[in-house]
Amino acid sequence: MLLISGSGSAQAAASLPGPDHLHLAVPSGEQLDYLRYPAKGKRLLIWVSSERGQAETERSAARELAKRGIEVWLLDLNFSYFLNGDRKGFDQIPAIDLQTLLQDASKKKGVVAFAMGRAAVPILKAFGSWKAGEGRLGHLDFVLMHPNLYEDAEALQEPRYIDFGNLKGARLLILQPRRSAGVVWLDHQRDALQAQGAVVRNEILERLREGFWERQETTDYETEMGQHLADLVWDRLPKGREK
Amino acid sequence: MEFRKMEPVAPPALATRDLNGMAHDLSAYKGRVVLVNFWASWCPPCRKEMPSMQRLMQKMADKPFTILAMDTGESREEAEAFLKSMPVDFPVLLDPESIVAKHWKVFAMPTSFLVDKLGRIRYVLPGGTEWDDGDGIKLILEMLNE
């Protein structure tokens, strides 16, 4: 059952322009804090920032996408779970919390999950561990920006990927910046996810490094692409599956 | 990051050409301690540690020690553009398709391996370091004295 703090509706900073600041009480006892950028269209993008935290370029992108009709819920799990960038902490976020969020979101609009870095783990776990009969979504589209899905990645040893459970019904578009050690392992990662039931497509983002939208030192091209993050996401959102 | 001590293990194959077109095969370096360093010009910690590798090379000039710097996943032109501002005296090898990096199971840049005089990998370091000051040079000197 979805519990929302306040008097039966989400608390919102109604007097301020821009996004609504909302808090969602979830089964683990925590509060999921998120920024909601409302829009009239039929699609909703759940955007989960990486373990590095949320950048202003992401908020700008969310605003722009909302102007184009896509509602965005922007989450920083560091903030909600007091993680301070701890990757292991991301892995331990209760799946039921994000299942609750996904379930609520999907009642209203066609949902796409967009997650970055290690933040892909909790959202994939939420989908993969969801049992039929517990409100499991039949399908879900994901766009994952350089997801870090390793269980183990030690030099000289074959990588191991996290077991997410049953990813049947998940359609994944993986965006991988070229300038990364991870680009070599895309096919391994794809195979591991497909073995868990997901449909996976990889796309390499040329001339970019991981986290390009938030780095302290960027190339001119990375700066430009960070400013056009909304376009990058917009162009890759799956069509269809709207409500 | 800390050096990870390995049970001595034979390395994967490493045979490729450097920026000057000269062929290098790691197996030909037995008798020498070798630092195999996987790097890329877009990688800030790789760029940061490169001067210390140059200084290390200079300190070890009279010792049976070699650095093989494997430029990974980029073109010759990209490597050369960076090295114009950071000239080095050790071989810079090219691995534009990351084939060697995949054989060595490299997951981060930089990643370095210390290979002993018998041609066995003894230590792995994921991440950068100051090679001429600290654990790196200490381990290399120990291996040279074996």
Side-chain angles (χ1 to χ4, degrees), chain B residues 34-56:
Chain B
V34 183
L35 161 56
V36 178
N37 173 261
F38 289 83
W39 71 283
S41 66
W42 48 257
C43 157
C46 304
R47 294 198 300 262
K48 188 177 175 200
E49 70 172 0
M50 195 75 77
S52 74
M53 290 164 63
Q54 175 64 12
R55 291 192 301 270
L56 174 69

Side-chain angles (χ1 to χ4, degrees), chain B residues 76-133:
Chain B
R76 166 193 297 280
E77 290 73 25
E78 285 167 309
E80 285 175 338
F82 167 67
L83 291 167
K84 270 194 188 142
S85 62
M86 179 60 242
V88 295
D89 295 326
F90 45 84
V92 175
L93 279 55
L94 297 172
D95 184 22
E97 304 300 322
S98 304
I99 293 170
V100 180
K102 200 161 185 182
H103 285 148
W104 284 63
K105 309 282 189 294
V106 170
F107 298 98
M109 294 287 180
T111 296
S112 297
F113 301 82
L114 292 177
V115 181
D116 67 15
K117 289 187 275 188
L118 297 178
R120 306 170 306 174
I121 298 175
R122 300 281 297 280
Y123 297 92
V124 178
L125 178 68
T129 191
E130 289 295 309
W131 282 99
D132 63 328
D133 179 24

Side-chain angles (χ1 to χ4, degrees), chain A residues 150 152-161 178-188 207 209-210 215 217 222, chain B residues 4 6 9 11-12 42-44 47 72-74 78 97-98 101-109 111 113 121 124:
Chain A
Y150 295 119
D152 285 306
E154 296 274 358
L156 302 172
Q157 295 174 22
E158 287 294 326
R160 289 199 306 131
Y161 296 89
R178 166 71 73 184
R179 292 176 173 173
S180 160
V183 76
V184 177
W185 300 101
L186 270 185
D187 289 347
H188 276 64
R207 297 165 59 201
R209 292 173 294 176
E210 296 190 358
R215 284 178 169 262
E217 290 179 22
E222 286 172 337
Chain B
R4 178 162 63 95
M6 309 275 299
V9 64
W42 48 257
C43 157
R47 294 198 300 262
T72 304
E74 56 185 4
E78 285 167 309
E97 304 300 322
S98 304
K102 200 161 185 182
H103 285 148
W104 284 63
K105 309 282 189 294
V106 170
F107 298 98
M109 294 287 180
T111 296
F113 301 82
I121 298 175
V124 178

